[in-house]
Amino acid sequence: MLGLIAIGLTASVAVYHVSPDGDDSASGSSNAPVATISQGVRLAGPGDIVVVHEGEYRITEPILIGKDKARLLLKARGRVVLRGGLEIPKSKIKSLDIDIERRLTKAASQNVLQVDLREIGIAAIDPLIARGMNHREAMAPVELFVGDEAQTLARWPNEGFVRTGKVTDKGAVPRFGDYSGKKAVFEFPQERIESWQTLEDVWAFGYWMWDWADESIPVESYRDGKLTLGGPHFYGVRENRPIYFENVLEELDSPGEYYIDRERMRLFFWPSTSGTAHLSLNKKPMLLIVEAEEVTVEGLRFVTSRQFTVDITGGRDVVLRNCVFRNLGRYAVKISSGTGHRVERCRFSDLGEGGVILNGGDRDRLSPASHEVIDCVFENFSRRARTYRPGVLVGGVGMRVARCEFKDAPHSAIIFSGNDHTFERNYFHDILTHTGDGGAVLGDRDWSERGTVIRENLFHRLHGEHIYENGVYLDDLISGIKVLDNVFLDCFWGLMIGGGRDNVVTGNLFVDVRLSMHLDARGLGWRADSFESLKNLLNRVPYKSLVWRRRYPGIEDILDDDPMSPKRNTVTDNVLVRAGRVTDDLAPQFKSGGTIERNVSSDSKAVFTVTNGVLTMDREAAELLAAIPGFNSPNGRKYGPTSNVPGPD
């Protein structure tokens, strides 16, 4: 019989069991479990519990939790893996056909394995499509994972980049209204390319114009030392930019690489480990939660999928707790509406894009959605799309990201838009590793996106291309943001205010930072042309309404108040240790229009150390900060998760 738990005097909770050895025609009792999580959820009513027993569950259709499942608890017992892909049986892995062996190096021909995909039940593989900064809606491709390690599409060079040569035609530039599709051509004398049997479905990936705008583009042709791309890059193409080529069978020459022949339906791979091989296949969410209330999902591990893995819309107070999201092609969790949803004590690892998308609330009324991401770890994200796929992408009104650790990613950790968010006690380190012109926390280009508070965070070891990498980047006139009591330690740049107004930077500590703050007046110079777009964004919200005027005094008069000027910024009571002075990169108009005072600079040899997210300092450092009136010393402060987070394995 089903387990029943008494609740008070009037109700009882039924417990339904799911097991890999179960049967969906069974009752779901502990002695007769069902086989699929979807069936366990279907059997459960409001307030019931679904226990998922240890094992692996292949998910081909979304597990749906709707509004009729209020107060449902879906929990793992033991190590429960939900997989959106297919295991490749070892019995189906064979040695190479002779025609393929001839196209590979001797070492590769002795190590590369082959699978006939039709023999494992796969009828077709979707074609590759463009990825990168401006392809946010693109589905992730089918990917190969071996032993829980993401394998790499066969590429050249195996590490790093080669560089574009002289550009003879930069191609169309959609960013500036040229949608002609004109293709870029550049000089590229490389005998390596001439050794490839075909250029069909070969792609080039790189930073074609800027270090913050990645994109993959198909290769059309190569003749007489000139390479023609099969389409334009959003910003055009210029000389000496870093690129590499991928999906080239002849370049399957090292462990961890693979290639899929989509016409003949064969997979070729040189495994990086001896573990089990899986292909990600699922193009739908694994878990779809719609208009549900007070639902808790606990302890599940989501792996190898091509789509948003958990998709939450509407409802309230849905909690994802102690879950692991690993080896996914897109974002792990998408929360698009509702109120009070929470992601806590979860780990996000090896993600093709970002970790969590938060949206919701009512910007017209400035009513918050109050979603939270707390005590989580985000590591090795933005694996496929390398820019603008942060650990947490924040929009709407009233979100909170607190006590999280963000590490090992090429670009930003948090990107925000909207209003009244809070980012606090987070630990950002080894972020912005392979890009330029970004921020661990980044917001930009909208006068109305005010009220966000960035406080008591630690920004540590932020070094990339040394092109404007910042801990906090308030880009292109974003205004009304507070940056309070943060620590910037061993960073290229600490903070940038790109021409905005009404920002507050107070009580921050900068140590061993190449440039502590860049504070400019770009709206009066090279960004003066953005006035119309900023005005249009402002007019999308009722900024003259009573609720907006009360929340952000003075915003109603912004268009009559020299709006492109960086007025009323406050930069006070910050401490700079071996980090120069606030005035090192300070525009005169920024200084004359704001308050810049009581900032302390020191060349002290004080030592600051971070261990497991705890900042400590030697005696000289402690005495230095103690001598500054009113400064809130961060000595001993813990950053990142304060609760246990499950490991990736």
mmCIF file with all atom_site columns, all heavy atoms in Angstrom, residues 380-392:
data_model
loop_
_atom_site.group_PDB
_atom_site.id
_atom_site.type_symbol
_atom_site.label_atom_id
_atom_site.label_alt_id
_atom_site.label_comp_id
_atom_site.label_asym_id
_atom_site.label_entity_id
_atom_site.label_seq_id
_atom_site.pdbx_PDB_ins_code
_atom_site.Cartn_x
_atom_site.Cartn_y
_atom_site.Cartn_z
_atom_site.occupancy
_atom_site.B_iso_or_equiv
_atom_site.pdbx_formal_charge
_atom_site.auth_seq_id
_atom_site.auth_comp_id
_atom_site.auth_asym_id
_atom_site.auth_atom_id
_atom_site.pdbx_PDB_model_num
ATOM 1   N N   . ASN A 1 380 ? 32.571 26.678 -14.792 1.00 0.00 ? 380 ASN A N   1
ATOM 2   C CA  . ASN A 1 380 ? 32.762 26.272 -16.184 1.00 0.00 ? 380 ASN A CA  1
ATOM 3   C C   . ASN A 1 380 ? 31.472 26.416 -16.991 1.00 0.00 ? 380 ASN A C   1
ATOM 4   O O   . ASN A 1 380 ? 30.976 25.457 -17.577 1.00 0.00 ? 380 ASN A O   1
ATOM 5   C CB  . ASN A 1 380 ? 33.288 24.841 -16.274 1.00 0.00 ? 380 ASN A CB  1
ATOM 6   C CG  . ASN A 1 380 ? 33.747 24.499 -17.687 1.00 0.00 ? 380 ASN A CG  1
ATOM 7   O OD1 . ASN A 1 380 ? 34.089 25.387 -18.470 1.00 0.00 ? 380 ASN A OD1 1
ATOM 8   N ND2 . ASN A 1 380 ? 33.743 23.223 -18.020 1.00 0.00 ? 380 ASN A ND2 1
ATOM 9   N N   . PHE A 1 381 ? 30.945 27.622 -16.993 1.00 0.00 ? 381 PHE A N   1
ATOM 10  C CA  . PHE A 1 381 ? 29.783 27.902 -17.840 1.00 0.00 ? 381 PHE A CA  1
ATOM 11  C C   . PHE A 1 381 ? 30.229 28.713 -19.057 1.00 0.00 ? 381 PHE A C   1
ATOM 12  O O   . PHE A 1 381 ? 31.400 29.046 -19.189 1.00 0.00 ? 381 PHE A O   1
ATOM 13  C CB  . PHE A 1 381 ? 28.683 28.614 -17.047 1.00 0.00 ? 381 PHE A CB  1
ATOM 14  C CG  . PHE A 1 381 ? 29.134 29.823 -16.274 1.00 0.00 ? 381 PHE A CG  1
ATOM 15  C CD1 . PHE A 1 381 ? 29.038 31.093 -16.822 1.00 0.00 ? 381 PHE A CD1 1
ATOM 16  C CD2 . PHE A 1 381 ? 29.640 29.691 -14.983 1.00 0.00 ? 381 PHE A CD2 1
ATOM 17  C CE1 . PHE A 1 381 ? 29.441 32.212 -16.111 1.00 0.00 ? 381 PHE A CE1 1
ATOM 18  C CE2 . PHE A 1 381 ? 30.043 30.811 -14.261 1.00 0.00 ? 381 PHE A CE2 1
ATOM 19  C CZ  . PHE A 1 381 ? 29.954 32.071 -14.826 1.00 0.00 ? 381 PHE A CZ  1
ATOM 20  N N   . SER A 1 382 ? 29.300 28.998 -19.956 1.00 0.00 ? 382 SER A N   1
ATOM 21  C CA  . SER A 1 382 ? 29.615 29.640 -21.242 1.00 0.00 ? 382 SER A CA  1
ATOM 22  C C   . SER A 1 382 ? 30.633 28.804 -22.021 1.00 0.00 ? 382 SER A C   1
ATOM 23  O O   . SER A 1 382 ? 31.575 29.328 -22.610 1.00 0.00 ? 382 SER A O   1
ATOM 24  C CB  . SER A 1 382 ? 30.139 31.067 -21.040 1.00 0.00 ? 382 SER A CB  1
ATOM 25  O OG  . SER A 1 382 ? 29.219 31.878 -20.374 1.00 0.00 ? 382 SER A OG  1
ATOM 26  N N   . ARG A 1 383 ? 30.422 27.509 -22.034 1.00 0.00 ? 383 ARG A N   1
ATOM 27  C CA  . ARG A 1 383 ? 31.359 26.604 -22.710 1.00 0.00 ? 383 ARG A CA  1
ATOM 28  C C   . ARG A 1 383 ? 31.249 26.683 -24.229 1.00 0.00 ? 383 ARG A C   1
ATOM 29  O O   . ARG A 1 383 ? 32.256 26.598 -24.943 1.00 0.00 ? 383 ARG A O   1
ATOM 30  C CB  . ARG A 1 383 ? 31.090 25.167 -22.227 1.00 0.00 ? 383 ARG A CB  1
ATOM 31  C CG  . ARG A 1 383 ? 31.875 24.085 -22.946 1.00 0.00 ? 383 ARG A CG  1
ATOM 32  C CD  . ARG A 1 383 ? 31.650 22.709 -22.310 1.00 0.00 ? 383 ARG A CD  1
ATOM 33  N NE  . ARG A 1 383 ? 30.256 22.396 -22.105 1.00 0.00 ? 383 ARG A NE  1
ATOM 34  C CZ  . ARG A 1 383 ? 29.424 21.942 -23.052 1.00 0.00 ? 383 ARG A CZ  1
ATOM 35  N NH1 . ARG A 1 383 ? 29.866 21.767 -24.286 1.00 0.00 ? 383 ARG A NH1 1
ATOM 36  N NH2 . ARG A 1 383 ? 28.163 21.661 -22.774 1.00 0.00 ? 383 ARG A NH2 1
ATOM 37  N N   . ARG A 1 384 ? 30.047 26.849 -24.780 1.00 0.00 ? 384 ARG A N   1
ATOM 38  C CA  . ARG A 1 384 ? 29.850 26.904 -26.234 1.00 0.00 ? 384 ARG A CA  1
ATOM 39  C C   . ARG A 1 384 ? 29.721 28.337 -26.724 1.00 0.00 ? 384 ARG A C   1
ATOM 40  O O   . ARG A 1 384 ? 30.483 28.771 -27.570 1.00 0.00 ? 384 ARG A O   1
ATOM 41  C CB  . ARG A 1 384 ? 28.593 26.128 -26.628 1.00 0.00 ? 384 ARG A CB  1
ATOM 42  C CG  . ARG A 1 384 ? 28.667 24.624 -26.451 1.00 0.00 ? 384 ARG A CG  1
ATOM 43  C CD  . ARG A 1 384 ? 27.406 23.964 -26.988 1.00 0.00 ? 384 ARG A CD  1
ATOM 44  N NE  . ARG A 1 384 ? 27.131 24.383 -28.335 1.00 0.00 ? 384 ARG A NE  1
ATOM 45  C CZ  . ARG A 1 384 ? 26.201 25.288 -28.683 1.00 0.00 ? 384 ARG A CZ  1
ATOM 46  N NH1 . ARG A 1 384 ? 25.455 25.865 -27.745 1.00 0.00 ? 384 ARG A NH1 1
ATOM 47  N NH2 . ARG A 1 384 ? 26.017 25.608 -29.936 1.00 0.00 ? 384 ARG A NH2 1
ATOM 48  N N   . ALA A 1 385 ? 28.722 29.054 -26.246 1.00 0.00 ? 385 ALA A N   1
ATOM 49  C CA  . ALA A 1 385 ? 28.577 30.476 -26.533 1.00 0.00 ? 385 ALA A CA  1
ATOM 50  C C   . ALA A 1 385 ? 29.374 31.209 -25.464 1.00 0.00 ? 385 ALA A C   1
ATOM 51  O O   . ALA A 1 385 ? 29.055 31.127 -24.279 1.00 0.00 ? 385 ALA A O   1
ATOM 52  C CB  . ALA A 1 385 ? 27.114 30.884 -26.523 1.00 0.00 ? 385 ALA A CB  1
ATOM 53  N N   . ARG A 1 386 ? 30.413 31.933 -25.854 1.00 0.00 ? 386 ARG A N   1
ATOM 54  C CA  . ARG A 1 386 ? 31.443 32.367 -24.916 1.00 0.00 ? 386 ARG A CA  1
ATOM 55  C C   . ARG A 1 386 ? 31.195 33.736 -24.313 1.00 0.00 ? 386 ARG A C   1
ATOM 56  O O   . ARG A 1 386 ? 31.904 34.134 -23.386 1.00 0.00 ? 386 ARG A O   1
ATOM 57  C CB  . ARG A 1 386 ? 32.807 32.372 -25.632 1.00 0.00 ? 386 ARG A CB  1
ATOM 58  C CG  . ARG A 1 386 ? 33.140 31.066 -26.332 1.00 0.00 ? 386 ARG A CG  1
ATOM 59  C CD  . ARG A 1 386 ? 33.550 29.998 -25.372 1.00 0.00 ? 386 ARG A CD  1
ATOM 60  N NE  . ARG A 1 386 ? 34.893 30.224 -24.852 1.00 0.00 ? 386 ARG A NE  1
ATOM 61  C CZ  . ARG A 1 386 ? 35.435 29.499 -23.883 1.00 0.00 ? 386 ARG A CZ  1
ATOM 62  N NH1 . ARG A 1 386 ? 34.742 28.529 -23.312 1.00 0.00 ? 386 ARG A NH1 1
ATOM 63  N NH2 . ARG A 1 386 ? 36.661 29.752 -23.458 1.00 0.00 ? 386 ARG A NH2 1
ATOM 64  N N   . THR A 1 387 ? 30.248 34.495 -24.838 1.00 0.00 ? 387 THR A N   1
ATOM 65  C CA  . THR A 1 387 ? 29.965 35.818 -24.285 1.00 0.00 ? 387 THR A CA  1
ATOM 66  C C   . THR A 1 387 ? 28.465 35.991 -24.066 1.00 0.00 ? 387 THR A C   1
ATOM 67  O O   . THR A 1 387 ? 27.648 35.406 -24.774 1.00 0.00 ? 387 THR A O   1
ATOM 68  C CB  . THR A 1 387 ? 30.470 36.945 -25.211 1.00 0.00 ? 387 THR A CB  1
ATOM 69  O OG1 . THR A 1 387 ? 29.773 36.891 -26.469 1.00 0.00 ? 387 THR A OG1 1
ATOM 70  C CG2 . THR A 1 387 ? 31.962 36.829 -25.462 1.00 0.00 ? 387 THR A CG2 1
ATOM 71  N N   . TYR A 1 388 ? 28.126 36.789 -23.074 1.00 0.00 ? 388 TYR A N   1
ATOM 72  C CA  . TYR A 1 388 ? 26.729 37.141 -22.766 1.00 0.00 ? 388 TYR A CA  1
ATOM 73  C C   . TYR A 1 388 ? 25.868 35.912 -22.471 1.00 0.00 ? 388 TYR A C   1
ATOM 74  O O   . TYR A 1 388 ? 24.692 35.874 -22.791 1.00 0.00 ? 388 TYR A O   1
ATOM 75  C CB  . TYR A 1 388 ? 26.133 38.004 -23.884 1.00 0.00 ? 388 TYR A CB  1
ATOM 76  C CG  . TYR A 1 388 ? 26.793 39.352 -23.928 1.00 0.00 ? 388 TYR A CG  1
ATOM 77  C CD1 . TYR A 1 388 ? 27.901 39.570 -24.742 1.00 0.00 ? 388 TYR A CD1 1
ATOM 78  C CD2 . TYR A 1 388 ? 26.370 40.390 -23.104 1.00 0.00 ? 388 TYR A CD2 1
ATOM 79  C CE1 . TYR A 1 388 ? 28.557 40.798 -24.744 1.00 0.00 ? 388 TYR A CE1 1
ATOM 80  C CE2 . TYR A 1 388 ? 27.007 41.618 -23.096 1.00 0.00 ? 388 TYR A CE2 1
ATOM 81  C CZ  . TYR A 1 388 ? 28.107 41.812 -23.912 1.00 0.00 ? 388 TYR A CZ  1
ATOM 82  O OH  . TYR A 1 388 ? 28.762 43.016 -23.903 1.00 0.00 ? 388 TYR A OH  1
ATOM 83  N N   . ARG A 1 389 ? 26.470 34.901 -21.854 1.00 0.00 ? 389 ARG A N   1
ATOM 84  C CA  . ARG A 1 389 ? 25.736 33.757 -21.312 1.00 0.00 ? 389 ARG A CA  1
ATOM 85  C C   . ARG A 1 389 ? 26.183 33.593 -19.865 1.00 0.00 ? 389 ARG A C   1
ATOM 86  O O   . ARG A 1 389 ? 26.956 32.700 -19.530 1.00 0.00 ? 389 ARG A O   1
ATOM 87  C CB  . ARG A 1 389 ? 26.007 32.471 -22.092 1.00 0.00 ? 389 ARG A CB  1
ATOM 88  C CG  . ARG A 1 389 ? 25.673 32.521 -23.551 1.00 0.00 ? 389 ARG A CG  1
ATOM 89  C CD  . ARG A 1 389 ? 24.207 32.848 -23.835 1.00 0.00 ? 389 ARG A CD  1
ATOM 90  N NE  . ARG A 1 389 ? 23.869 32.555 -25.209 1.00 0.00 ? 389 ARG A NE  1
ATOM 91  C CZ  . ARG A 1 389 ? 24.158 33.328 -26.256 1.00 0.00 ? 389 ARG A CZ  1
ATOM 92  N NH1 . ARG A 1 389 ? 24.810 34.464 -26.065 1.00 0.00 ? 389 ARG A NH1 1
ATOM 93  N NH2 . ARG A 1 389 ? 23.801 32.978 -27.477 1.00 0.00 ? 389 ARG A NH2 1
ATOM 94  N N   . PRO A 1 390 ? 25.732 34.473 -18.969 1.00 0.00 ? 390 PRO A N   1
ATOM 95  C CA  . PRO A 1 390 ? 26.266 34.499 -17.611 1.00 0.00 ? 390 PRO A CA  1
ATOM 96  C C   . PRO A 1 390 ? 25.754 33.349 -16.749 1.00 0.00 ? 390 PRO A C   1
ATOM 97  O O   . PRO A 1 390 ? 24.816 32.635 -17.113 1.00 0.00 ? 390 PRO A O   1
ATOM 98  C CB  . PRO A 1 390 ? 25.743 35.835 -17.082 1.00 0.00 ? 390 PRO A CB  1
ATOM 99  C CG  . PRO A 1 390 ? 24.437 36.019 -17.807 1.00 0.00 ? 390 PRO A CG  1
ATOM 100 C CD  . PRO A 1 390 ? 24.685 35.482 -19.194 1.00 0.00 ? 390 PRO A CD  1
ATOM 101 N N   . GLY A 1 391 ? 26.375 33.214 -15.584 1.00 0.00 ? 391 GLY A N   1
ATOM 102 C CA  . GLY A 1 391 ? 25.873 32.253 -14.619 1.00 0.00 ? 391 GLY A CA  1
ATOM 103 C C   . GLY A 1 391 ? 24.432 32.538 -14.260 1.00 0.00 ? 391 GLY A C   1
ATOM 104 O O   . GLY A 1 391 ? 23.602 31.623 -14.186 1.00 0.00 ? 391 GLY A O   1
ATOM 105 N N   . VAL A 1 392 ? 24.107 33.823 -14.032 1.00 0.00 ? 392 VAL A N   1
ATOM 106 C CA  . VAL A 1 392 ? 22.721 34.223 -13.777 1.00 0.00 ? 392 VAL A CA  1
ATOM 107 C C   . VAL A 1 392 ? 22.409 35.435 -14.648 1.00 0.00 ? 392 VAL A C   1
ATOM 108 O O   . VAL A 1 392 ? 23.106 36.452 -14.587 1.00 0.00 ? 392 VAL A O   1
ATOM 109 C CB  . VAL A 1 392 ? 22.474 34.572 -12.296 1.00 0.00 ? 392 VAL A CB  1
ATOM 110 C CG1 . VAL A 1 392 ? 21.002 34.873 -12.061 1.00 0.00 ? 392 VAL A CG1 1
ATOM 111 C CG2 . VAL A 1 392 ? 22.918 33.423 -11.382 1.00 0.00 ? 392 VAL A CG2 1
#
